[in-house]
Amino acid sequence: MGLISEEYVRLLGAWPSPFVLRTRIALNLKRVPYEYLEEEDSLNSESVLNYNPVHKQIPILIHGNKPIRESLNIVMYVDETWLSGPPILPSDPFDRAVARFWDVYIDEHCFTSINGVAVAKDEEERKAAIEKLEMCMALLEETFQECSKGRGFFGGDNIGFIDIGFGSMLGPLKVLEKFTGVKFIHPETTPGLFHWADRFYSHEAVKPVMPDIEKLVEFARLNTVKLLGTWSSPFALRGRVALHLKSVEYEYIEEADVLNSKSDLLLKSNPIHKKVPVLIHGDVSICESLNIVQYVDESWPSKRSILPSDPKDRAAARFWAHFVDGNCFESIDAAAGAKDEAGRMMAAGSLIECLAALEEGFQKSNKGGDFFGGQNIGYIDIACGAILGPLSVIEAFSGMKFLSPETTPGLVQWAEIFRAHEAVKPYMPTVAEFIGFAKQKFNV
């Protein structure tokens, strides 16, 4: 490959990204010729990792061999580098400051509110996010009236910095309208924005690069992630920890009374076992907690792996995970369901043997770290962490300490660190909550 000219312009992006759209509009306004490189898997792209090692995100504008990152930063760079086209930011310092303020507001409030509606955990959270987004639209309506001064765009007669910042959000906003049935930009409530959006869409710098709304809707549908669970389920906990570790945005749907009443969505997505957790990714459903954890690990590979990379270590991790589900949970269930003292003692003995084996396994596999996976939470940790809640209930009801500094010192310390981890603490019920749930369930 020959030397790259200092004036050669490339853009790394992905078609659904509103942030990439900003850059494409700015380049079109300035009539800058450039090569557009679609990154179908931007999270794992070598080019993205090479040119944006800090955030590992698109868009990335490469001018010659110089990478420029972050969409608003790129738009300002384009405006300052190619002076021949119409200015994007105002010439007056105060007006420039106002324009920058509103674009930051759009990113910090409007875009986060759109995401907030999409990933709301329940109806109450969803309503709150919708109200916040409606407030954002009302405020931007006022801003448009002030900034446009009766003309067609925030920037006056031409598309400007605020137009690009907010216009890039029209696609996600329209997708959200399709899913919620709420009209966020409406001729009666936001008349200025309503007519502005039509002008923006039809502008020659926008129309060729604005994604088709139906295509965006289909993309959103196929990339939507939902997790069906119930707060007390140790198995649903596994899914939540894995998704958190991978920084996956998802909608959590609480199956409030899964023992007595199963939702239509649960019955449809898990018709065989009819139980939580179920991970819904686009139009596919993944059932069984350990299977879900492995699916999450393989589907979002950009973050640190949950399972080890070495085949022997992966096999060992799966062995211990199945040991927990088979031996440990069976012993816990046997202790909880024992009909007499002899049955309880037999189950307790079996559970003590299981925990002794896990203590030995922890000492061999932690490699001096805090977790079974070493320095980071791994597959065995997620599998074993699920027994901590049920174990605390058995200890409370039986008066026995199955995890103690004398018999299982490694597991005692591991359990404390595991519970406090940022990927676990928000979703792990307290011991008191577990005990209260068990008393209610068994009428104790």
Side-chain angles (χ1 to χ4, degrees):
M1 184 177 178
L3 294 175
I4 295 176
S5 165
E6 290 185 1
E7 294 304 312
Y8 186 59
V9 180
R10 290 169 289 165
L11 175 63
L12 306 185
W15 71 266
S17 168
F19 305 105
V20 171
L21 177 63
R22 289 174 173 175
T23 305
R24 302 197 74 176
I25 293 171
L27 291 167
N28 286 352
L29 282 171
K30 293 288 187 172
R31 301 190 184 281
V32 178
Y34 66 98
E35 180 185 6
Y36 176 68
L37 301 171
E38 178 74 18
E39 296 288 342
E40 293 183 0
D41 186 12
S42 61
L43 294 176
N44 301 297
S45 165
E46 289 186 14
S47 297
V48 173
L49 296 176
N50 180 42
Y51 285 112
N52 193 357
V54 178
H55 296 299
K56 305 177 180 65
Q57 295 173 337
I58 51 172
I60 304 169
L61 184 75
I62 307 167
H63 188 191
N65 283 309
K66 298 179 295 185
I68 302 94
R69 312 164 187 96
E70 300 297 314
S71 64
L72 295 179
N73 188 39
I74 293 172
V75 173
M76 287 187 280
Y77 177 86
V78 169
D79 191 36
E80 294 163 359
T81 303
W82 287 278
L83 302 177
S84 57
I88 294 173
L89 278 103
S91 57
D92 180 77
F94 175 75
D95 291 339
R96 289 169 74 89
V98 169
R100 287 192 295 264
F101 168 84
W102 282 111
D103 269 13
V104 171
Y105 174 85
I106 288 161
D107 279 3
E108 292 184 351
H109 295 273
C110 299
F111 186 67
T112 54
S113 295
I114 291 171
N115 277 343
V117 177
V119 302
K121 297 181 178 67
D122 51 42
E123 188 61 24
E124 183 178 348
E125 196 170 302
R126 178 177 172 272
K127 286 181 178 178
I130 287 175
E131 287 178 5
K132 182 179 178 182
L133 186 52
E134 288 174 332
M135 289 173 60
C136 290
M137 294 303 103
L139 191 54
L140 282 171
E141 172 71 17
E142 290 181 22
T143 303
F144 175 75
Q145 302 295 348
E146 292 175 7
C147 292
S148 67
K149 300 178 174 67
R151 290 174 288 179
F153 299 99
F154 283 89
D157 292 322
N158 299 303
I159 284 180
F161 197 55
I162 306 177
D163 298 282
I164 293 175
F166 183 47
S168 65
M169 296 299 151
L170 289 177
L173 204 56
K174 286 184 176 293
V175 170
L176 199 63
E177 288 181 341
K178 292 268 188 179
F179 283 123
T180 63
V182 178
K183 286 291 184 182
F184 295 100
I185 295 181
H186 191 275
E188 294 181 2
T189 55
T190 55
L193 293 182
F194 183 81
H195 295 294
W196 162 84
D198 283 343
R199 287 188 291 272
F200 184 82
Y201 264 110
S202 60
H203 193 282
E204 63 177 0
V206 178
K207 193 173 181 178
V209 292
M210 177 69 81
D212 176 74
I213 297 303
E214 291 306 320
K215 191 177 176 184
L216 279 175
V217 169
E218 181 63 12
F219 176 82
R221 186 182 68 81
L222 292 176
N223 287 274
T224 298
V225 180
K226 300 178 182 180
L227 181 68
L228 308 187
T230 185
W231 69 269
S232 59
S233 168
F235 304 107
L237 174 68
R238 288 173 173 170
R240 304 202 74 175
V241 172
L243 289 165
H244 188 113
L245 287 172
K246 291 289 188 170
S247 301
V248 179
E249 291 187 348
Y250 66 99
E251 177 185 1
Y252 176 71
I253 300 175
E254 177 73 17
E255 293 284 332
D257 189 17
V258 72
L259 294 177
N260 301 309
S261 177
K262 303 178 192 299
S263 70
D264 291 339
L265 182 58
L266 176 58
L267 296 174
K268 179 183 177 182
S269 55
N270 191 357
I272 297 175
H273 297 298
K274 302 178 180 65
K275 62 182 182 181
V276 296
V278 180
L279 183 74
I280 303 173
H281 187 193
D283 55 1
V284 298
S285 299
I286 302 93
C287 308
E288 301 298 311
S289 63
L290 294 178
N291 190 34
I292 289 172
V293 173
Q294 292 182 75
Y295 178 86
V296 169
D297 193 33
E298 294 164 0
S299 296
W300 289 276
S302 60
K303 296 289 184 178
R304 182 182 289 112
S305 180
I306 294 173
L307 278 101
S309 57
D310 182 78
K312 290 183 290 186
D313 292 338
R314 290 171 74 90
R318 286 192 290 263
F319 166 83
W320 283 112
H322 286 294
F323 176 82
V324 169
D325 276 9
N327 298 61
C328 297
F329 268 110
E330 283 183 7
S331 297
I332 290 172
D333 288 343
K339 297 178 181 178
D340 52 38
E341 187 63 23
R344 280 191 291 273
M345 293 307 296
M346 183 178 295
S350 176
L351 183 53
I352 289 170
E353 289 180 6
C354 289
L355 295 175
L358 278 179
E359 173 72 19
E360 185 177 348
F362 174 76
Q363 299 296 349
K364 289 181 178 179
S365 65
N366 69 358
K367 301 171 185 175
D370 292 327
F371 301 101
F372 283 89
Q375 295 299 329
N376 302 296
I377 285 182
Y379 189 60
I380 309 178
D381 300 284
I382 295 174
C384 290
I387 70 171
L388 292 178
L391 197 60
S392 65
V393 173
I394 295 298
E395 287 182 335
F397 286 171
S398 68
M400 300 177 66
K401 291 295 291 183
F402 293 99
L403 291 182
S404 72
E406 292 76 24
T407 57
T408 55
L411 290 182
V412 168
Q413 186 174 3
W414 162 82
E416 183 177 349
I417 297 172
F418 180 83
R419 285 182 184 273
H421 193 280
E422 64 172 4
V424 178
K425 191 175 181 180
Y427 318 113
M428 171 80 83
T430 65
V431 172
E433 287 171 334
F434 269 124
I435 292 172
F437 173 77
K439 286 181 176 179
Q440 184 180 21
K441 178 180 176 181
F442 298 109
N443 296 317
V444 176

